[in-house]
Amino acid sequence: HRSEVKCVSWHPSKSLLVSGGRDKTCIFWDPRAASCLSIHHWHRDIVLRTEWSNSGNMLLTSSRDQSIKCFDLRTMKSFQTFNGHKRDVCAIKWHPLDELCFASGGFDGNVLFWVLGLDDTQGEIYKAHDSSISALEWHPLGHILVTGSNDNLTKFWCRSRPGDSLKDKHNARQCVYNIDGGGSEL
């Protein structure tokens, strides 16, 4: 990289790393040789996050350019761009069981849900936080998403039941915990 490195991710099963940086590039590395394998200029601004799928076949990258790119390791090509955030995309996380689905969190405090092959978001939690979302993590079974934010809150979001919309009465309940450990159910 020609400037600050913002993220690094190990491939889940291969001796391969990817890094993203302020220079707007994603670089693939061979850790055995400590050498650069390839440099990719997919984004128009700083690359903030990189996230491998569980199988390791796909890589998500997010950027300050408000986009998410999906790269297929098998073809060595970026094959889909996701646009929906109004500000930087600060966090991305693949669903643990469905390799076609992932969530993203933005500087705008919104959480968006995506499916590969579809251009539009498949769900949104508008103003999930009052500040930028810095972390996303799924429960291993995929039914709960946890978000962390610069508003000093960690929030737990349950998925909708089959047939329910994301705006149903069941998703209106959430448990909010402050950094100091005090919690309250909304």
Side-chain angles (χ1 to χ4, degrees):
H1 290 280
R2 294 190 187 106
S3 60
E4 179 185 2
V5 176
K6 300 298 282 182
C7 54
V8 178
S9 298
W10 280 101
H11 187 278
S13 61
K14 298 186 183 324
S15 182
L16 181 66
L17 286 154
V18 65
S19 60
R22 187 171 287 280
D23 60 1
K24 308 173 192 175
T25 64
C26 291
I27 300 178
F28 288 90
W29 301 91
D30 178 355
R32 295 167 296 189
S35 63
C36 169
L37 297 173
S38 62
I39 299 173
H40 300 272
H41 300 270
W42 294 323
H43 290 282
R44 291 174 282 124
D45 209 332
I46 299 168
V47 177
L48 297 172
R49 293 286 182 270
T50 55
E51 174 79 15
W52 289 102
S53 65
N54 289 331
S55 70
N57 291 332
M58 292 175 283
L59 172 74
L60 291 174
T61 62
S62 69
S63 172
R64 190 171 278 171
D65 67 9
Q66 306 168 10
S67 74
I68 302 163
K69 305 277 186 178
C70 187
F71 175 86
D72 190 327
L73 187 63
R74 298 163 294 189
T75 62
M76 293 299 289
K77 294 193 185 307
S78 174
F79 73 89
Q80 190 169 359
T81 300
F82 300 90
N83 295 299
H85 286 281
K86 305 290 187 257
R87 301 282 307 271
D88 313 2
V89 184
C90 305
I92 46 176
K93 194 68 175 177
W94 288 101
H95 189 276
L97 302 177
D98 188 341
E99 189 157 283
L100 297 177
C101 300
F102 67 93
S104 62
F107 192 84
D108 54 12
N110 297 337
V111 175
L112 303 181
F113 298 93
W114 304 92
V115 175
L116 292 185
L118 301 176
D119 292 329
D120 295 326
T121 60
Q122 299 304 295
E124 177 178 11
I125 304 171
Y126 180 73
K127 289 295 180 190
H129 287 273
D130 293 331
S131 188
S132 64
I133 295 173
S134 54
L136 294 171
E137 190 65 44
W138 289 97
H139 181 280
L141 297 178
H143 65 294
I144 298 172
L145 177 69
V146 180
T147 57
S149 171
N150 291 345
D151 62 9
N152 300 334
L153 296 175
T154 299
K155 295 185 179 184
F156 298 79
W157 307 91
C158 294
R159 71 173 180 210
S160 299
R161 297 176 303 184
D164 289 344
S165 71
L166 283 174
K167 296 178 181 167
D168 67 10
K169 65 180 180 179
H170 302 286
N171 284 311
R173 296 178 60 79
Q174 59 185 332
C175 190
V176 180
Y177 284 90
N178 296 320
I179 290 282
D180 64 10
S184 62
E185 188 170 277
L186 298 176

